[in-house]
C-alpha cells in the first residue's frame, strides 16, 4: 500500500516509484511542487514531492490503494546515536565514491601509459639523456602513487526525497484532509471527482481556469483538457446570468467545453454543458 504523508491537511507523495504508479496505473496526477535538483533556479519544471487534492487522496484511500500517514516526530532533534549513524552513512558514501574515482583514474592511466612513457623519453632526450629504459609497470605505479584522494567538496551529495530514518508513524483517516470532503461543497466535489475518475477520465485542479476541475480524456502530458468543470452544490440556488456567460466565454477563449456538475434529486450525478452560439451566423 502506498503511503501518503500528511502535513497540515495536505497529502504528499515523496517516492518516485509511487508517483509513477499513481499516474500511470491509477490516473492520479496531483501537482509536483518540489525543485529539480539538477535545475534549481527555474520554476517551469517541478519535482517531488507531489501534493494531492483532498479528492485524490480520499479516493485512493477509499479504493484501498493508499493510506494516510503522519510522522509526528519528524522535526524533533535527533539523538546522538542517529546523528552518529548519519555520519557513518555520509562517510560510507565518500569512501565508495573515492574508491570508484580512484579506479577510474587508474584505468585512464593504464590506457595512456604508452603516451606517458613516450613523453618522458622525449623530455629526457631533450636533456641529453639517451638509451634510457623505462619500465611501464614501475612508471604506472609511480603515477598511481601521485593520485590524490577525493575530498568531500568534490563528492556527489545524496539528497533523499523521502525520510530515510525509521520514526514513529500514525495512520490517519480522511477527515484530516483539507478542505474537507465529508460535508458541504467538499462532499459534492468529491462525489463528482469520483464519478469522473470511475468513467476513466484524468481529473486535475481547474483553479488556473476559474473552475473546480479540468477533465482530460488521457494523460495531461499528451492531451489538452476537454472540459472545465464547476461543481454545483445546491441545484435550487439561482444562477446569476453574468456568471454563466463569463464561464461560457472563458471556456471558448481557452478552447474547452464549459461543464456544470451536480447531484439531482435522486442522488445521481448529472452534467450540463454550456455551448456558445454565434448569433450573427446562425
Amino acid at each position: 500500500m502506498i503511503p501518503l504523508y500528511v502535513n497540515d491537511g495536505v497529502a504528499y507523495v515523496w517516492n518516485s516509484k509511487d508517483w509513477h504508479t499513481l499516474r500511470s496505473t491509477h490516473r492520479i496526477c496531483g501537482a509536483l511542487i518540489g525543485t529539480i535538483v539538477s535545475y534549481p533556479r527555474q520554476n517551469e519544471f517541478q519535482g517531488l514531492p507531489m501534493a494531492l487534492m483532498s479528492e485524490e487522496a480520499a479516493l485512493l484511500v477509499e479504493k484501498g490503494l493508499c493510506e494516510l500517514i503522519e510522522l509526528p516526530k519528524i522535526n524533533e532533534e535527533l539523538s546522538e546515536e542517529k546523528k552518529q549513524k548519519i555520519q557513518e552513512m555520509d562517510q560510507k558514501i565518500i569512501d565508495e565514491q573515492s574508491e570508484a574515482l580512484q579506479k577510474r583514474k587508474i584505468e585512464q592511466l593504464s590506457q595512456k601509459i604508452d603516451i606517458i612513457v613516450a613523453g618522458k623519453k622525449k623530455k629526457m632526450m631533450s636533456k641529453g639523456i639517451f638509451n634510457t629504459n623505462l619500465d611501464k609497470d614501475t612508471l604506472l605505479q609511480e603515477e598511481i602513487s601521485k593520485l590524490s584522494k577525493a575530498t568531500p567538496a568534490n563528492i556527489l551529495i545524496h539528497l533523499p526525497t523521502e525520510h530515510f530514518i525509521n520514526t514513529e508513524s500514525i495512520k490517519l483517516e480522511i477527515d484530516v484532509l483539507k478542505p474537507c470532503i465529508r460535508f458541504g461543497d467538499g462532499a459534492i466535489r468529491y462525489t463528482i471527482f469520483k464519478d469522473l475518475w470511475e468513467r476513466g477520465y484524468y481529473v486535475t485542479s481547474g483553479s488556473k481556469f476559474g473552475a473546480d476541475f479540468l477533465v482530460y480524456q488521457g494523460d495531461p502530458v499528451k492531451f489538452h483538457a476537454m472540459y472545465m468543470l464547476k461543481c454545483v452544490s445546491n441545484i435550487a440556488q439561482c444562477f446569476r446570468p453574468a456568471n454563466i456567460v463569463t464561464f461560457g466565454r472563458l471556456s471558448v477563449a481557452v478552447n474547452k467545453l464549459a461543464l456544470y456538475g451536480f447531484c439531482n434529486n435522486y442522488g445521481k450525478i448529472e452534467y450540463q454543458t454550456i455551448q456558445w452560439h454565434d448569433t450573427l451566423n446562425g
Side-chain angles (χ1 to χ4, degrees):
M1 189 173 291
I2 296 174
L4 305 178
Y5 296 100
V6 179
N7 182 43
D8 195 23
V10 180
Y12 298 92
V13 177
W14 289 88
N15 185 281
S16 59
K17 291 182 179 179
D18 293 342
W19 166 82
H20 184 265
T21 299
L22 291 178
R23 187 171 188 117
S24 61
T25 306
H26 305 302
R27 306 191 314 280
I28 297 296
C29 299
L32 294 172
I33 62 172
T35 298
I36 298 178
V37 177
S38 303
Y39 302 97
R41 296 182 181 180
Q42 55 82 39
N43 58 9
E44 184 176 357
F45 301 101
Q46 303 295 328
L48 293 173
M50 175 176 69
L52 298 177
M53 297 186 296
S54 296
E55 294 81 12
E56 291 174 317
L59 177 70
L60 291 170
V61 172
E62 180 182 331
K63 297 296 182 181
L65 302 171
C66 299
E67 59 182 353
L68 300 177
I69 300 294
E70 183 183 29
L71 305 178
K73 296 183 178 180
I74 193 170
N75 293 322
E76 288 189 355
E77 181 70 21
L78 295 176
S79 63
E80 293 300 324
E81 181 182 354
K82 288 186 176 180
K83 288 181 180 179
Q84 180 64 30
K85 183 178 179 180
I86 293 175
Q87 291 177 356
E88 291 174 356
M89 291 174 62
D90 291 342
Q91 186 59 47
K92 182 181 178 181
I93 291 172
I94 293 175
D95 294 341
E96 288 176 349
Q97 292 193 39
S98 297
E99 183 180 347
L101 179 61
Q102 191 84 354
K103 183 179 179 181
R104 178 60 178 163
K105 287 184 175 180
I106 291 173
E107 290 176 355
Q108 292 175 343
L109 285 173
S110 300
Q111 293 171 358
K112 297 179 180 179
I113 190 62
D114 291 332
I115 299 175
I116 295 173
V117 171
K120 286 188 174 293
K121 284 184 177 180
K122 185 176 180 180
K123 185 176 181 180
M124 295 175 72
M125 289 173 64
S126 67
K127 295 180 179 180
I129 304 174
F130 300 93
N131 300 323
T132 303
N133 185 21
L134 296 176
D135 183 66
K136 290 184 180 181
D137 294 334
T138 303
L139 187 59
L140 178 60
Q141 292 302 320
E142 289 179 0
E143 293 296 324
I144 291 175
S145 65
K146 296 178 184 178
L147 295 176
S148 59
K149 293 184 178 181
T151 61
N154 299 321
I155 295 295
L156 296 174
I157 300 175
H158 287 225
L159 297 176
T161 58
E162 60 181 333
H163 200 57
F164 60 95
I165 300 176
N166 292 330
T167 184
E168 179 184 349
S169 63
I170 300 175
K171 188 174 180 180
L172 305 174
E173 300 296 330
I174 60 176
D175 295 327
V176 303
L177 296 173
K178 298 178 183 178
C180 180
I181 55 93
R182 292 286 196 187
F183 312 102
D185 293 345
I188 188 64
R189 279 173 55 96
Y190 175 63
T191 304
I192 291 174
F193 177 89
K194 180 181 175 182
D195 180 70
L196 290 169
W197 184 85
E198 290 178 340
R199 290 171 183 253
Y201 291 104
Y202 284 76
V203 185
T204 67
S205 172
S207 58
K208 62 182 178 181
F209 289 111
D212 290 312
F213 300 121
L214 293 179
V215 184
Y216 301 78
Q217 288 187 313
D219 193 307
V221 172
K222 302 177 182 179
F223 294 83
H224 288 290
M226 175 175 286
Y227 303 104
M228 46 189 293
L229 182 144
K230 277 191 174 183
C231 301
V232 180
S233 57
N234 184 4
I235 59 175
Q237 183 178 357
C238 295
F239 284 90
R240 291 185 61 213
N243 291 344
I244 299 178
V245 172
T246 300
F247 189 45
R249 294 190 68 176
L250 176 59
S251 68
V252 172
V254 295
N255 198 28
K256 306 184 191 311
L257 292 175
L259 191 67
Y260 282 104
F262 56 93
C263 187
N264 63 22
N265 293 327
Y266 301 98
K268 183 180 179 181
I269 296 296
E270 292 186 5
Y271 301 96
Q272 180 65 53
T273 304
I274 299 177
Q275 292 182 324
W276 194 263
H277 293 280
D278 187 348
T279 56
L280 293 179
N281 299 322

